[in-house]
Amino acid sequence: MVAIHRPDPFSLIQELCGNFSLLGRVNGLDHQTNWYMPAILWFYLFAPLFYRIITDYSGKKQIRHILSLVAFVILINVTFFGNYFVLIGVSRIFVFLIDMIFACLGSKKINDKTLTVFSVICLLVGIGITFLTQRYFKSGLKTYGLDWYPFIIIAPSASIVSGKIFSAFEKFRIGRTLNKAFSFIGKNSFEIYLFHMTVFPIATTILKKISNPMWVGLAIFGIAGGFIYNYAVTYITKKIQNKNRG
């Protein structure tokens, strides 16, 4: 007879607290939610501090403060090398920080064509680095975050290039229609992500083998489910708000 392991009540409470405090992964607890939600919350908590460090000074002082902040983020990343469950979120601090720096630079007068060309070059370099790390350094990808760090360059550059492309779309009727479609999907992107995080693990657990057509079907189902989930949450929220006002 095979013994069934039943977790003790304290472990269940600890895992529950780890999920709500968003620190369960840091302590290596089991049954924790995905890294994305904790990362968003902690990044938002640190955003005011990052913003103040970046914007409080100008000239050489601003450069020194930004470099000091980058150096501190490097220390944080090195601290968690080898810890995949934490590093997957911590490595995104770079992307978050670089995007904030780009946003602050956006308020200054920068030649639009120069910025666009620079962004395209950075995007190509980031894609090239991704290819090289995936091909030649695969063993160190998860240990040192090599499959995530190229996005320090890719994420802000792709945002700028995408913005230019979508702006160009506005000149054409079909382009404006596409922009509206992308905008609608973007407003539901978080719900689509959450729904996919539920659907795909369940599907891979139940189905031993999933063919390519089935993956497409699951993706479409996930997107549709995200729309429905967003509508349901919005509807319920409005009902509660109207009830409280009444």
Side-chain angles (χ1 to χ4, degrees):
M1 186 178 234
V2 179
I4 300 174
H5 173 70
R6 296 183 184 278
D8 60 275
F10 177 76
S11 295
L12 293 174
I13 294 171
Q14 190 179 30
E15 289 168 2
L16 183 66
C17 292
N19 273 305
F20 277 96
S21 69
L22 304 180
L23 289 170
R25 276 178 169 261
V26 178
N27 196 34
L29 299 179
D30 294 328
H31 306 109
Q32 298 302 295
T33 56
N34 64 84
W35 62 269
Y36 187 64
M37 289 293 291
I40 288 177
L41 178 61
W42 287 105
F43 288 2
Y44 281 179
L45 288 174
F46 282 109
L49 176 62
F50 285 1
Y51 180 78
R52 184 158 188 173
I53 292 173
I54 294 168
T55 60
D56 261 15
Y57 300 91
S58 60
K60 292 182 179 179
K61 283 188 176 181
Q62 185 181 37
I63 294 172
R64 283 201 300 267
H65 277 72
I66 290 174
L67 291 177
S68 298
L69 187 55
V70 170
F72 181 67
V73 172
I74 290 173
L75 289 177
I76 294 174
N77 276 259
V78 174
T79 300
F80 290 105
F81 277 171
N83 189 336
Y84 169 76
F85 291 105
V86 178
L87 188 61
I88 192 173
V90 169
S91 62
R92 265 63 172 195
I93 299 176
F94 271 122
V95 179
F96 185 75
L97 179 59
I98 296 299
D99 281 346
M100 287 191 72
I101 294 171
F102 266 73
C104 293
L105 290 175
S107 61
K108 299 181 179 180
K109 291 183 179 180
I110 301 175
N111 186 282
D112 189 60
K113 289 184 179 179
T114 302
L115 181 62
T116 303
V117 172
F118 177 72
S119 300
V120 170
I121 293 172
C122 286
L123 183 59
L124 294 175
V125 169
I127 293 172
I129 293 173
T130 302
F131 173 78
L132 291 174
T133 54
Q134 289 287 337
R135 182 159 187 176
Y136 299 108
F137 303 101
K138 207 167 184 67
S139 60
L141 293 183
K142 291 183 178 180
T143 303
Y144 303 107
L146 295 178
D147 49 351
W148 305 311
Y149 292 134
F151 289 93
I152 299 169
I153 305 172
I154 293 173
S157 303
S159 298
I160 293 171
V161 173
S162 299
K164 299 297 179 184
I165 294 172
F166 292 139
S167 294
F169 282 178
E170 287 294 318
K171 298 177 182 178
F172 309 97
R173 185 175 180 180
I174 188 171
R176 290 191 291 272
T177 303
L178 285 172
N179 281 351
K180 288 180 180 179
F182 285 131
S183 178
F184 177 72
I185 293 172
K187 290 177 181 177
N188 293 270
S189 59
F190 183 62
E191 288 78 6
I192 292 172
Y193 169 79
L194 290 179
F195 209 82
H196 272 72
M197 288 295 295
T198 303
V199 170
F200 279 84
I202 292 174
T204 52
T205 302
I206 296 175
L207 305 171
K208 293 181 179 180
K209 187 177 180 181
I210 302 177
S211 61
N212 288 333
M214 290 179 70
W215 279 120
V216 174
L218 286 171
I220 294 172
F221 177 70
I223 294 171
F227 292 151
I228 296 170
Y229 178 56
N230 178 281
Y231 175 80
V233 171
T234 303
Y235 178 80
I236 294 170
T237 303
K238 286 182 178 179
K239 280 285 187 182
I240 295 172
Q241 288 175 343
N242 292 334
K243 186 177 180 180
N244 291 335
R245 287 171 188 168

